[in-house]
Amino acid sequence: MNNIEIIRKRKGITQKELVDQIGVSVKTYNNWVKERNPIPSDKLIAISKILSVSIDEMLGINTKNW
């Protein structure tokens, strides 16, 4: 699982609040965080802004080793 759920919970945002803000169903969101389906780039950007984190951090990408 990527870090989106961890960060969302840390920020105190409910799953319902997040999906309402990005305009998707809970089922769609769950498929993303369980990595069953890719997250569209526009939704990645929206989630990143709502959670105030980088996309790299949300997806658990460590850019420090590059």
Side-chain angles (χ1 to χ4, degrees), residues 7-29:
I7 296 167
R8 177 188 65 74
K9 290 174 183 176
R10 238 187 254 150
K11 300 278 184 170
I13 298 171
T14 68
Q15 194 176 71
K16 177 80 169 105
E17 290 170 332
L18 184 58
V19 299
D20 285 349
Q21 288 183 52
I22 60 175
V24 299
S25 69
V26 171
K27 181 179 180 180
T28 296
Y29 175 80

Side-chain angles (χ1 to χ4, degrees):
M1 176 169 79
N2 53 41
N3 293 332
I4 295 173
E5 280 292 273
I6 295 166
I7 296 167
R8 177 188 65 74
K9 290 174 183 176
R10 238 187 254 150
K11 300 278 184 170
I13 298 171
T14 68
Q15 194 176 71
K16 177 80 169 105
E17 290 170 332
L18 184 58
V19 299
D20 285 349
Q21 288 183 52
I22 60 175
V24 299
S25 69
V26 171
K27 181 179 180 180
T28 296
Y29 175 80
N30 283 331
N31 283 331
W32 293 344
V33 297
K34 292 177 182 174
E35 299 180 1
R36 292 182 184 143
N37 295 323
I39 305 171
S41 58
D42 63 321
K43 299 303 183 185
L44 268 176
I45 293 166
I47 295 168
S48 168
K49 288 179 181 181
I50 293 165
L51 298 179
S52 300
V53 296
S54 72
I55 292 172
D56 289 346
E57 185 178 350
M58 278 191 329
L59 299 179
I61 298 170
N62 184 353
T63 58
K64 292 178 183 175
N65 294 331
W66 295 3

